[in-house]
Amino acid sequence: MTTDWNLLHRTEETISMTTTTVPALRPAVYEQKVEGFGVVRLVPVDPAADEELLHGWVTQERARFWGMADHTAEQVREIYEFVDSLPTHHAYLALRDGVPAALFQTYEPDADPVGECYDVRPGDFGIHLLIAPAEGEGAVKGYTDSLLTAFIGYVFSDPAHLRVVVEPDARNEKALARMVRVGFELGPEIRKPEKTARLAFLTREALGLA
């Protein structure tokens, strides 16, 4: 029996490519089982591989507060390539039982424009989240809250993170109500070049983690 080394090499290349481009096969930075919901895994965004997926999410009317409604797929990819180049900002896909369910971004406020709009405390850690237009959201009670549970679990898994900071569009009443529901305390409105935002904060103490 002879071995086709060229075929074997091509197969190895295919496996390697699949591992990096298929979200469910990427190594997770965090994993949490949420009771009654499923396993949530956070994997790094691959700007090239996820370009079409993310473009489909951020250009929907429901995502208008994300600020990319008129962006092309190429522009979306370029934005996440830039985010990927920053040591202080990170973008992740949240997978629910292996299926992309949300876009989750983290940042250090003192390295972000939002840090110019309020007094940043040591231990502050910022997050953005965009829930995917999931077919299952309407069928699963507490869909978004379950994802938030995992996101907050990830942030506070690092003892250096003392307070979660969010800054949704001040007009996004649904997002603000959701934050209050899970324990965030609303802060002041701030003016950013692209929007007027409302700050909200969640401390370890509020969750009994202190």
Side-chain angles (χ1 to χ4, degrees), residues 174-197:
K174 185 176 180 180
L176 291 168
R178 180 185 303 133
M179 295 304 170
V180 171
R181 189 165 63 242
V182 299
F184 281 79
E185 180 179 346
L186 295 181
E189 289 190 359
I190 59 173
R191 289 291 184 92
K192 298 183 67 182
E194 74 279 12
K195 67 179 181 182
T196 297

Side-chain angles (χ1 to χ4, degrees), residues 98-153:
V99 179
L103 173 61
F104 177 61
Q105 296 177 211
T106 67
Y107 64 93
E108 297 176 16
D110 57 2
D112 188 88
V114 73
E116 301 175 3
C117 302
Y118 83 103
D119 292 328
V120 179
R121 294 183 188 174
D124 278 1
F125 195 70
I127 67 172
H128 299 298
L129 59 109
L130 175 65
I131 307 301
E135 293 78 24
E137 181 170 359
V140 179
K141 186 177 181 180
Y143 187 94
T144 301
D145 288 0
S146 294
L147 288 171
L148 260 174
T149 296
F151 298 157
I152 292 167

Side-chain angles (χ1 to χ4, degrees), residues 143-165:
Y143 187 94
T144 301
D145 288 0
S146 294
L147 288 171
L148 260 174
T149 296
F151 298 157
I152 292 167
Y154 169 63
V155 172
F156 285 138
S157 67
D158 185 339
H161 299 154
L162 305 180
R163 188 169 68 158
V164 180
V165 180

